[in-house]
Amino acid sequence: MNITLDPDKHQPTNVTDTAETRHQNYQELLELALDNNSKPSRPSKLRLSYLQVLMRSKQTLIANFGVICDQMHRAIPHVMLYMTTELGTSASVKGDGCGLVLRGRFKPSQVEVVLKKYCNEYVKCLMCGSFATDMNHDSTIRSNVQCCQNCHASRTLNNISQPTYKAQIGRRPRA
């Protein structure tokens, strides 16, 4: 191995560092990176159970609400707050903790749209597009923080804001 002294930097430099050794180092590093990253590069889809929506005269029941919240890895009160805010109504949880009772009549498609919007805003990682995320409350900044399990990115989530849709509950005024 030939080592020469660079007069400008006064540090030894390696003369035998050729393109072949750099290519070998690159190949070793590339193999190491590919071995450590065994997860798929494409984000996986979020597969939720089919919504079981029952419509009564003045109520809408979502029978498997707790199961859907568990599949999203989110707390029932947070998802319920988002749903009530977006639909502009009030809600309560059924006795077993798995069902949600919304005041007012809502079509299953309306509930599904709100649930998809929640997933895009509060479940999906913006960096890698994965749905494998956790939500934790950070008391120092008084906000929720989303942490991705795939890329380990974290971001502060927006607080649930004013509703974008106001449902009409009760009787309609006569003209």
Side-chain angles (χ1 to χ4, degrees):
M1 183 165 158
N2 297 333
I3 298 178
T4 59
L5 192 63
D6 190 6
D8 295 333
K9 298 182 181 176
H10 303 291
Q11 294 178 0
T13 59
N14 191 354
V15 176
T16 60
D17 187 23
T18 62
E20 288 180 25
T21 59
R22 277 186 258 141
H23 182 70
Q24 289 174 348
N25 289 338
Y26 173 76
Q27 289 296 332
E28 292 171 5
L29 291 173
L30 183 63
E31 289 173 7
L32 181 67
L34 290 176
D35 289 341
N36 288 340
N37 190 12
S38 62
K39 296 176 182 170
S41 60
R42 295 182 94 191
S44 61
K45 291 184 177 180
L46 180 64
R47 302 229 184 247
L48 297 177
S49 298
Y50 182 74
L51 278 174
Q52 296 175 357
V53 179
L54 307 168
M55 294 173 54
R56 300 245 170 107
S57 61
K58 293 184 181 181
Q59 293 178 341
T60 303
L61 294 111
I62 304 172
N64 59 345
F65 184 71
V67 174
I68 290 172
C69 291
D70 288 341
Q71 290 172 346
M72 291 189 296
H73 304 290
R74 294 295 181 264
I76 291 175
H78 190 263
V79 181
M80 185 176 91
L81 179 64
Y82 184 82
M83 297 274 292
T84 56
T85 304
E86 285 296 311
L87 293 172
T89 186
S90 60
S92 62
V93 179
K94 280 177 35 178
D96 58 353
C98 290
L100 182 71
V101 180
L102 296 167
R103 187 171 165 227
R105 289 179 58 98
F106 299 99
K107 295 178 185 176
S109 60
Q110 290 174 309
V111 176
E112 186 177 339
V113 166
V114 172
L115 203 57
K116 283 181 182 179
K117 190 174 173 186
Y118 178 84
C119 289
N120 286 332
E121 288 183 24
Y122 292 97
V123 179
K124 187 176 183 180
C125 176
L126 295 180
M127 295 297 148
C128 66
S130 172
F131 290 100
T133 59
D134 291 326
M135 185 176 72
N136 302 316
H137 184 74
D138 190 0
S139 60
T140 58
I141 58 173
R142 297 182 186 144
S143 186
N144 291 320
V145 178
Q146 178 190 42
C147 299
C148 181
Q149 295 173 355
N150 288 344
C151 67
H152 304 291
S154 63
R155 71 177 179 115
T156 305
L157 296 172
N158 296 330
N159 290 331
I160 297 175
S161 61
Q162 295 297 319
T164 57
Y165 171 76
K166 180 68 175 163
Q168 183 173 357
I169 300 171
R171 296 183 146 235
R172 294 184 180 176
R174 292 192 173 173

